[in-house]
Amino acid sequence: MSDFIHIRRDLHQIPELGFQEFKTQQYILNYIATLPQERMQIKTWRTGIFVRVLGTAPTKTIGYRADMDGLPIDEQTDVPFRSTHEGRMHACGHDMHMAIALGVLTHVVHHPIRDDMLFIFQPAEEGPGGALPMLESDEMKQWMPDMILALHIAPQYPVGTIATKEGLLFANTSELFIDLIGKGGHAAFPHETKDMVVAASALIMQLQTIVSRNVNPLDSAVITVGKLTSGTVQNVIAERARLEGTIRTLSPEAMEKVKGRIEAIVRGIEVAYDCEAHIDYGSMYYQVYNDETLTNEFMQFVEKETNVRLVRCQEAMTGEDFGYMLARIPGFMFWLGVQSPFGLHHAQLNPNEQAIDVAIQLLTRYVTWKGNHHVKEEEQ
């Protein structure tokens, strides 16, 4: 078993929510402290970490990002290294992401490349969103990379699969919270109340007309209400209701359109059911849009590798705040196959750990080639 599988298992046991990754941050810093320090510069930002590895003759900086946070999920696996934090789990593979990043970092420290590399350990990807504030931090502005890349585990693909595409890879996403406030009362006297169960039910049905009647059929959008909370007991009419959901679109324009329609429908609910309503969009993530030139170059590189298989995939409605970084820095994200019967955010997700070494080997070869590539260009 490789050292980085051990690291992944250690990290898997201490999942922490966004901007609470104190143990995770300290674990990573402790590991980095074991590496030769001569060519490393380290800065912390909140619960995140920047590690700059100086190249031998740099002309650019290659950025690599790994997210750090877990999810508020009770783990239901039987692995011996299951989460020790009750109600918390690395159910999106960020423990894998960090272990892979540390593997690449270790290689670059011991085997210098010409260009600088910036390793970004980013908190709060799952929420409230760490990429945008980290991108705008003074620390990152001082070390802004010229290109950036990241990966995400993919349970649907076998180990050894690398899946990506040029252009749009992940959707625009936004959380959605709607609170309805009416007037509660006894179930025997409904005429004296303003029933928010009825109002919420009507609102949910109307929200489902937005995609079918307001979004261009050639575009795509999803509105999901995943949680509805209302009422206290069976014989009391509910005074409040809360809807919690998500919006996903394949274009920023569609996101704007969907939100406009949600707001109009909610205003109508206020009038129709004589209630008060409040909308909160929570965390919003910008689309992951892969740079065409860099992505094609990476895919051509992968196709020449013998131990991995390239899949040109379709865009997905998943959300990732790495999109904010790609909006400002040329780069790309790709899926890493980990072959699990349970999907992302599932309490029984158990990725195949062999994918860790597959990713480290591929990425170290890629950044070595990319980080020394300008030598060939200069000689031409």
Side-chain angles (χ1 to χ4, degrees):
M1 186 186 303
S2 77
D3 292 342
F4 300 103
I5 291 178
H6 281 294
I7 287 172
R8 180 258 165 168
R9 292 185 175 188
D10 287 345
L11 291 168
H12 188 82
Q13 294 180 70
I14 55 169
E16 298 166 292
L17 300 184
F19 293 126
Q20 299 173 28
E21 305 95 339
F22 302 106
K23 290 182 181 179
T24 304
Q25 182 189 52
Q26 191 58 56
Y27 182 96
I28 294 172
L29 289 172
N30 289 345
Y31 175 80
I32 292 171
T34 68
L35 300 175
Q37 301 294 301
E38 295 78 15
R39 295 174 44 250
M40 281 197 299
Q41 298 173 344
I42 303 164
K43 294 181 181 181
T44 59
W45 173 84
R46 298 183 68 170
T47 49
I49 307 169
F50 294 99
V51 185
R52 186 183 184 192
V53 182
L54 300 178
T56 58
T59 62
K60 63 179 182 294
T61 298
I62 300 172
Y64 186 83
R65 176 272 208 169
D67 34 14
M68 302 168 65
D69 54 326
L71 285 158
I73 293 174
D74 283 309
E75 183 166 351
Q76 295 177 15
T77 71
D78 57 1
V79 297
F81 51 89
R82 70 193 309 274
S83 171
T84 60
H85 291 179
E86 185 177 355
R88 305 287 184 265
M89 179 186 175
H90 270 301
C92 203
H94 297 181
D95 51 343
M96 302 271 285
H97 298 174
M98 290 182 283
I100 292 165
L102 289 173
V104 180
L105 169 62
T106 301
H107 180 90
V108 174
V109 168
H110 287 289
H111 304 278
I113 62 174
R114 287 176 63 96
D115 284 327
D116 291 346
M117 278 202 70
L118 180 66
F119 291 86
I120 303 164
F121 293 90
Q122 180 215 304
E125 191 280 324
E126 299 293 348
L132 184 57
M134 201 172 197
L135 184 66
E136 295 175 342
S137 68
D138 291 338
E139 292 82 358
M140 188 156 181
K141 287 178 181 177
Q142 291 170 3
W143 286 348
M144 190 65 71
D146 298 287
M147 65 165 288
I148 195 165
L149 63 147
L151 63 81
H152 202 297
I153 67 163
Q156 69 271 29
Y157 290 117
V159 172
T161 302
I162 303 297
T164 192
K165 65 181 289 291
E166 318 94 320
L168 187 69
L169 185 67
F170 291 176
N172 298 270
T173 68
S174 175
E175 295 177 333
L176 175 64
F177 304 97
I178 304 175
D179 289 291
L180 302 176
I181 305 168
K183 181 181 178 183
H186 198 289
F189 306 102
H191 58 290
E192 297 177 357
T193 69
K194 300 171 185 178
D195 189 343
M196 292 302 97
V197 167
V198 175
S201 300
L203 175 56
I204 290 171
M205 295 306 294
Q206 291 188 49
L207 291 176
Q208 297 310 310
T209 68
I210 295 174
V211 173
S212 65
R213 287 296 173 267
N214 300 121
V215 175
N216 187 331
L218 299 180
D219 201 345
S220 293
V222 174
I223 302 173
T224 297
V225 177
K227 183 178 181 181
L228 171 62
T229 308
S230 188
T232 53
V233 295
Q234 84 279 5
N235 63 345
V236 174
I237 289 174
E239 182 166 322
R240 291 175 174 266
R242 180 174 174 84
L243 287 68
E244 301 183 18
T246 179
I247 312 165
R248 297 165 187 267
T249 71
L250 290 185
S251 68
E253 294 76 17
M255 178 64 73
E256 183 178 354
K257 177 72 171 180
V258 167
K259 287 187 173 181
R261 287 299 300 143
I262 288 172
E263 290 159 17
I265 289 172
V266 169
R267 287 195 299 269
I269 291 291
E270 285 185 297
V271 174
Y273 293 91
D274 192 17
C275 65
E276 182 181 339
H278 302 283
I279 301 173
D280 178 7
Y281 291 117
S283 297
M284 179 177 174
Y285 292 169
Y286 193 73
Q287 63 192 20
V288 171
Y289 198 91
N290 285 343
D291 179 86
E292 182 174 353
T293 301
L294 289 171
T295 307
N296 275 320
E297 182 184 69
F298 174 71
M299 288 193 293
Q300 290 171 17
F301 180 89
V302 172
E303 285 180 327
K304 296 176 183 177
E305 295 291 297
T306 58
N307 65 331
V308 292
R309 179 177 69 94
L310 177 69
V311 171
R312 186 180 291 271
C313 62
Q314 297 295 313
E315 58 267 32
M317 280 294 185
T318 42
E320 240 285 358
D321 71 347
F322 185 59
Y324 286 114
M325 294 189 178
L326 289 180
R328 299 192 192 180
I329 308 166
F332 58 89
M333 174 171 263
F334 64 89
W335 290 109
L336 172 71
V338 296
Q339 196 160 8
S340 170
F342 301 101
L344 300 174
H345 294 206
H346 195 285
Q348 292 178 265
L349 175 67
N350 185 18
N352 187 322
E353 294 175 315
Q354 298 308 310
I356 293 174
D357 291 336
V358 170
I360 292 172
Q361 291 167 18
L362 173 68
L363 286 169
T364 53
R365 288 195 293 268
Y366 172 73
V367 299
T368 299
W369 172 78
K370 187 66 177 174
N372 294 322
H373 193 49
H374 63 271
V375 177
K376 296 180 181 179
E377 293 171 351
E378 291 167 357
E379 292 173 350
Q380 289 177 352

